[in-house]
Amino acid sequence: CRSSYMRNHMEFLQPHASYLRLMGMPLSTVAAPNVKEAMLTFLAHVTRAKNSTPVLSLSWTPGGRRLLTGNQEGEFTLWDGVTFGFELIMSAHDTSFRCMAWSHNRNYLLTSDAGGNIKYWSPSIAPVQSLDSHNKQPIHSLSFAPSDTKFVSCGDDATVRVWDWATHSEERVLEGHGWDVKCVQWHPRSSVIASCSKDNLVKLWDPRAGSVLSTLYGHKNTVT
């Protein structure tokens, strides 16, 4: 968008703070949408970690002041959310990260790794509890119940598991997928869990009864 043709023939906003006053609110373009105003034309910042290992998960800390990343070596890296400068690196898991999930009240963080381990963390990134599950298979996704009293996990052992937060115990093992379960989400208001798998299926579960409510067959490939 910053070519000489664009500069000479089209109006566009320059990537500079002084041009913010010319930027309209999103609803202001509904009547007459302008595609070029919705395009990102400037890369703000690139930050590299000290160790060049793949970053497999990330999450903002409560309040958005810091960014937390997890890498293939099982390490936490903490970044400043304003300057994006490096702040801290610490060992968190023995194997590579797979997932991070904050509770709805933002008081605790859950993480999982490729060895079937789930860990509880406080907002200050202090370890609280460690659980081993899913037959030491990778755990790809975690999600809290609306009340934060339960959470759900899924992994490469083809199961979805429901946990009690306070007692750190497994309550249900939901079986029905034929292959690795890639993602799981607890409904934001209801007692329904959705999961998707490498078997091309999406399933809806009742976590109290441990039964399948419905199976969706529309996908032809892995659902992630």
Side-chain angles (χ1 to χ4, degrees):
C1 289
R2 301 179 68 188
S3 66
S4 59
Y5 176 85
M6 296 289 284
R7 288 196 299 269
N8 296 332
H9 296 84
M10 298 184 70
E11 296 180 0
F12 65 97
L13 294 178
Q14 292 284 351
H16 191 274
S18 63
Y19 287 83
L20 289 176
R21 59 187 177 83
L22 302 178
M23 185 178 294
M25 297 296 290
L27 290 177
S28 67
T29 59
V30 172
N34 192 341
V35 176
K36 65 179 180 294
E37 291 183 2
M39 296 176 64
L40 300 177
T41 62
F42 182 72
L43 178 63
H45 193 81
V46 174
T47 299
R48 295 188 182 277
K50 292 183 177 180
N51 49 356
S52 300
T53 57
V55 177
L56 301 178
S57 61
L58 56 82
S59 177
W60 293 100
T61 59
R65 296 298 300 272
R66 289 175 175 80
L67 182 67
L68 192 63
T69 61
N71 65 19
Q72 192 171 0
E73 300 298 323
E75 296 172 330
F76 268 139
T77 306
L78 196 62
W79 308 88
D80 187 285
V82 178
T83 64
F84 296 101
F86 169 84
E87 287 193 356
L88 173 70
I89 188 168
M90 61 177 287
S91 178
H93 284 273
D94 295 332
T95 58
S96 63
F97 265 89
R98 282 297 182 266
C99 179
M100 297 183 190
W102 286 95
S103 59
H104 296 292
N105 59 19
R106 312 299 281 179
N107 286 338
Y108 288 97
L109 172 71
L110 284 175
T111 61
S112 65
D113 66 18
N117 181 251
I118 299 172
K119 287 191 176 181
Y120 293 27
W121 304 85
S122 69
S124 60
I125 317 302
V128 177
Q129 183 70 28
S130 179
L131 307 170
D132 289 319
S133 185
H134 289 273
N135 300 319
K136 297 185 178 181
Q137 296 295 310
I139 299 173
H140 294 292
S141 184
L142 300 161
S143 181
F144 276 91
S147 63
D148 285 336
T149 58
K150 315 283 184 187
F151 69 91
V152 62
S153 64
C154 69
D156 280 359
D157 62 343
T159 66
V160 175
R161 298 174 186 248
V162 180
W163 301 81
D164 183 89
W165 170 262
T167 62
H168 316 131
S169 60
E170 186 180 283
E171 289 192 342
R172 295 277 190 280
V173 179
L174 310 180
E175 297 178 315
H177 281 292
W179 213 340
D180 307 348
V181 185
K182 294 298 185 181
C183 187
V184 65
Q185 284 291 316
W186 205 303
H187 192 279
R189 293 181 300 276
S190 302
S191 185
V192 177
I193 293 171
S195 64
C196 60
S197 170
K198 202 173 179 179
D199 61 5
N200 309 345
L201 302 178
V202 175
K203 289 183 179 288
L204 303 179
W205 307 84
D206 180 349
R208 292 169 295 189
S211 59
V212 178
L213 297 173
S214 181
T215 301
L216 311 181
Y217 295 92
H219 294 278
K220 297 181 180 179
N221 290 290
T222 300
V223 188
T224 57

